[in-house]
Amino acid sequence: MQLDPDNHKNTNRQETEKRTSPLQYGNQEKKNVYIETYGCQMNFADSEIFGSILLKEGYTMVNEVGLSDYVLINTCAIRDNAEQRIRKRLRELRAVQRQRPWMRVGILGCMAERLKTQLLEEEENVSFVVGPDAYRKLPNIMSRVRGGDKVAATELSNDETYDDIEPVRLNGNGISAYISIMRGCQNYCAYCVVPYTRGLERSRNPQTIVDEARYLFNEGYKEITLLGQNVNSYRWEQNGTKVGFPELMAMVAEISPSMRVRFATSHPKDLSDDLLHTMARYDNICKSIHLPVQSGSERMLKLMNRKYTPQWYLNRIEAIRTILPTCSISTDVIAGFCTETEEDHQATLEMFRTVRYDSAFMFKFSMRPNTFAARHMEDDIPEEVKIRRLEEIIALQNQLSLENNQKCIGQTFEVLVEGASHRSKEQLFGRTSQNKVIVFDRGNHQPGEYLMLKVTECTSATLKGVVVD
Ligand code: 5AD
Ligand code: SF4
């Protein structure tokens, strides 16, 4: 997050001046904004979009709540615990608001879209709620709430892609950045709230994506991650030319061989051989695919409306292994979806043993209001069963992660150095093309360098290595 040092210095002086309106001191408007982002990578990319909109309107980003006049919380609604976390945060902010009574709190993103004005009624310290397609209205809304009004802007759009907005890079490491290439999702998986909070799928003009990536490269960035809920259905047509996701990847990869390109997330139903061949053609397209399986049971996948069978999924894994032999594979899985039996659960464990994922995001099912599941199914798996099944999946995955990492010992990988290791300043960490983290002694090396590292040790989560020439 950017902190304007002058603004920071001025803060105390401004506060001692006469207060003439809730957010005005003397002639100086209070426009310090603190942004907090929760949830997925898309949310982090969105915060960079509305951050940019606000900077253009003369707002300043600060990196402490205690310096802010507005707190913007970009929220996630995918599971109930994500929302509970935000409610807890709102309670904590009440204490800050007592010290800074002019401070306004806004809820943005998926939770705002899901709950709309209900959130304004339930949370008295929230002044505005703004959904993912209404960020252009933020400056106007933020000036309206100064006098104490409460405002909600939650209409979804069929064409908003914010493609004319150059995102400001918040909290970045200056090395890797996200670029959002499409918005929305219309797969309507039975458990998922995203189609209701982020609206219909729409792709962004490829030229603006390439321009943004080139700009970042010229600014010194070394890695771009192209983001969408389902990047494989990226599509753009103009004057008879069609650009699909493989073409877009190639366009971005060609900016420079020294800039890495990643993407997330793929839906197994649309993962094409064409994309895999494009990945194979470019060394700088990272060999790492996130392919959410959700369940290993054919019956569950059907109930979840995932539109593929375990056989189809395994055929896609086979294609990855054949076309991209060095590629790592990660996944998302849900334990305890409606009616899931022990047999269904065993099928999920079997899927994990067969694919041998490098890593996984593992969740227990959380019923979300208004989804297909909420309207037509019963949340009938007892909490303790969900927890036990989730723990079994986690234990298995930990074992698989460890075994996969052990196979890396003795091998040499090219890493892009990202920064200091969390444990020690004397160590740096970098990421391999396969998205694995390797920690190593700093020496004279710097973030942003490409280095060859030989792996010497590992845990299930991290590899340790030494620099080789
Ligand atoms: N309960 C639990 N996990 C969910 N996900 C999506 N919706 C739910 C839900 N209602 C998981 C899926 C998805 C990931 C982003 O979150 O695994 O891929
Ligand atoms: Fe949700 Fe399914 Fe869309 Fe992913 S593909 S965002 S799980 S509806």
Side-chain angles (χ1 to χ4, degrees), residues 78-79 191-192 292 294 332-334 363-368:
I78 203 143
R79 282 169 291 276
Y191 49 81
C192 188
Q294 313 299 5
D332 291 347
V333 70
I334 300 176
F363 310 104
K364 65 184 162 70
F365 172 59
S366 161
M367 183 66 101
R368 307 308 288 131

Side-chain angles (χ1 to χ4, degrees), residues 61-73:
M61 301 297 143
V62 295
N63 63 2
E64 269 180 52
V65 178
L67 296 175
S68 70
D69 307 309
Y70 295 93
V71 177
L72 306 185
I73 310 183

Side-chain angles (χ1 to χ4, degrees), residues 25-84:
Y25 291 78
N27 291 325
Q28 181 79 46
E29 265 187 274
K30 303 285 274 174
K31 287 187 136 184
N32 284 355
V33 178
Y34 178 75
I35 298 177
E36 255 178 37
T37 307
Y38 295 82
C40 61
Q41 295 165 323
M42 288 293 281
N43 267 13
F44 284 84
D46 276 6
S47 292
E48 299 185 332
I49 288 171
F50 62 71
S52 166
I53 293 174
L54 293 173
L55 284 178
K56 279 216 180 67
E57 294 293 322
Y59 289 85
T60 303
M61 301 297 143
V62 295
N63 63 2
E64 269 180 52
V65 178
L67 296 175
S68 70
D69 307 309
Y70 295 93
V71 177
L72 306 185
I73 310 183
N74 194 0
T75 60
C76 171
I78 203 143
R79 282 169 291 276
D80 184 58
N81 60 8
E83 292 198 3
Q84 293 315 321

